[in-house]
Amino acid sequence: MKIISGIWKIKENYYNDFIAFGKQAVVQSKKEVGNISFHFSEIKIEENTFMFFEEWKNQEAIDFHVSQDYFKTFMKASEKMVESAPIITIYNTNNQTKL
């Protein structure tokens, strides 16, 4: 399994636009065969900051995800919305333990 964590700091005037794009990303991503979970939320203690947390079956699922038109549209549109480059990290995991 692969986990993707993304932190996005958005310009204030794009706040609502980013939320709309984020919601669309959730709906579309959850339809993909290789998606395990996909979450989008605002980080309330950091103004205009959002987080994506995604779980994917494997790298092939991620490759498919990033090839989708809605993903490409989101990434292109977000370029003007961000204050700085998003921090996106991919984690590889072979097992999970629930607390």
Side-chain angles (χ1 to χ4, degrees):
M1 178 173 55
K2 300 232 180 200
I3 297 171
I4 300 177
S5 166
I7 305 295
W8 301 70
K9 178 74 173 168
I10 303 303
K11 295 175 187 171
E12 186 175 346
N13 56 320
Y14 287 107
Y15 179 89
N16 291 326
D17 294 333
F18 192 77
I19 289 175
F21 272 107
K23 287 179 179 180
Q24 181 183 21
V26 170
V27 170
Q28 295 297 323
S29 298
K30 285 184 174 184
K31 293 178 184 177
E32 294 177 26
V33 173
N35 181 261
I36 298 168
S37 73
F38 197 100
H39 304 279
F40 169 64
S41 60
E42 183 175 3
I43 300 174
K44 290 290 191 178
I45 60 173
E46 296 178 41
E47 192 170 314
N48 299 319
T49 304
F50 296 85
M51 178 178 191
F52 286 92
F53 182 86
E54 312 165 27
E55 294 175 301
W56 297 92
K57 289 183 180 178
N58 51 37
Q59 186 60 49
E60 291 78 20
I62 294 172
D63 293 343
F64 178 80
H65 174 62
V66 301
S67 74
Q68 300 306 294
D69 287 340
Y70 77 88
F71 177 86
K72 292 176 185 177
T73 299
F74 171 82
M75 293 302 287
K76 183 67 177 165
S78 70
E79 290 175 4
K80 68 180 179 186
M81 297 181 197
V82 296
E83 285 196 6
S84 57
I87 301 167
I88 302 172
T89 307
I90 299 176
Y91 302 91
N92 297 304
T93 179
N94 292 325
N95 58 35
Q96 306 173 57
T97 304
K98 296 192 187 272
L99 292 175

